[in-house]
Amino acid sequence: MGGKYIYPFLRFPTAARMEALGGGVQSIKYKQDPDLSLAIANPCLLDSTYHKQLSISNSFYIDKSNIGNISFAYYHPKIKSTIAYTMQYASYGKFDGRDAAGNATGTFRAADFNFQVGVGRHWNKFYYGVNLKFILSQLETYTSIGLAADVALGYYNPKTNWTASVIVRNAGVELKPYIKEEGRQKLPIALDISFSKRFKKLPVTLSVTAHDLQVWNLKYPEEQQTTLFGTPKKTSKGTLIVDNIFRHLDFGAEIQAGKPVRLRFGYNHLRRQELGVGRKKGFAGISAGFGVNIKQFALDYTYAQYHRSGSDHHLTFRIKIDEFGKKAK
């Protein structure tokens, strides 16, 4: 999906937990363990259990890039809504500038920012929420400004521990293009559906996310494999259909390993197909991590391999500020 839109950092996982479970938007919802870092991408999760929670997340990405966010949620009883205030950032480091002749012109930096306000409400077992985004992108001397929104509708049954949500992400417009003469570019709009199921008699939660449902074919023409003689390899129509279906799916499993510890594993087929090298794809598309919850604090870590030459180390730290001074459950 790369190269087709601007502000690609908006598609990056907002939490280590999200990355560990395959990288897709999650609909996991625990009343006893609300996770604000997941609600940044899925605002319908927001309710009063997120009151005064602070989430800080950073991904130590390829080639010293840092992508992360800081978020704080507050429940307003008068309007029966929970509002989350978030700043997302992506810092791509320092670059060497060159003119058309190849002469050095000094160094420059590139960064993206998203200033976001999310609102969540619920009626019985149905949850709904909206994120409003003001986006600022600075690439050398070029600046772009955009507006976008996420709209999410969810269902949560605490008796059966089933959760499902439908999300339209990053619907918006570029207000100020990088180069006026080239016009406005498209935002990374996506339609995602997410499911999760927590088992009562097993300490396991399974999740599946179907992403980018607004388009069918996620395969680039450049991915066409050829023989030793340069002719295209023949692949059955059924194989192509199955491969494309799985490119839309992310899979995750979370295991409760004792009261404070959770182990997580995920698989992202699209990432594996696009970034794996030849037939020896290594661990591309595979992610693993853990989470530790101690009283009012939670720490999540994930390792995800994107390519043999680069991986993602993702950390998320959460604090329940309103529980300070209270007896831990």
Side-chain angles (χ1 to χ4, degrees), residues 216-257:
W216 163 243
N217 188 9
L218 294 181
K219 188 172 183 179
Y220 286 96
E222 293 80 0
E223 291 184 58
Q224 174 68 56
Q225 295 183 351
T226 59
T227 65
L228 293 174
F229 302 100
T231 58
K233 284 186 177 180
K234 293 183 178 180
T235 307
S236 68
K237 186 176 181 180
T239 301
L240 293 174
I241 292 175
V242 171
D243 175 66
N244 195 59
I245 289 174
F246 275 90
R247 286 175 184 246
H248 284 276
L249 300 176
D250 300 332
F251 303 91
E254 184 172 86
I255 304 170
Q256 188 87 34

Side-chain angles (χ1 to χ4, degrees), residues 275-315:
L275 299 179
V277 180
R279 294 183 178 180
K280 298 181 180 180
K281 298 182 183 293
F283 290 98
I286 298 174
S287 54
F290 65 86
V292 180
N293 289 33
I294 302 176
K295 295 184 179 181
Q296 298 87 6
F297 304 94
L299 176 67
D300 299 317
Y301 167 78
T302 294
Y303 171 83
Q305 187 174 96
Y306 280 62
H307 188 272
R308 288 184 181 181
S309 62
S311 304
D312 173 33
H313 296 272
H314 204 139
L315 281 172

Side-chain angles (χ1 to χ4, degrees), residues 109-175:
R109 292 184 176 274
D112 295 322
F113 298 93
N114 168 36
F115 302 93
Q116 173 178 303
V117 177
V119 182
R121 293 172 60 93
H122 72 92
W123 176 73
N124 292 333
K125 297 177 183 178
F126 293 93
Y127 291 72
Y128 50 97
V130 176
N131 284 330
L132 300 178
K133 307 179 180 184
F134 176 79
I135 307 156
L136 175 63
S137 179
Q138 181 73 41
L139 307 178
E140 207 252 348
T141 58
Y142 303 96
T143 302
S144 174
I145 297 174
L147 289 177
D150 304 330
V151 180
L153 174 64
Y155 172 83
Y156 170 59
N157 189 329
K159 292 184 179 180
T160 60
N161 288 319
W162 266 106
T163 311
S165 56
V166 180
I167 311 163
V168 177
R169 305 174 63 198
N170 306 316
V173 63
E174 183 184 22
L175 299 177

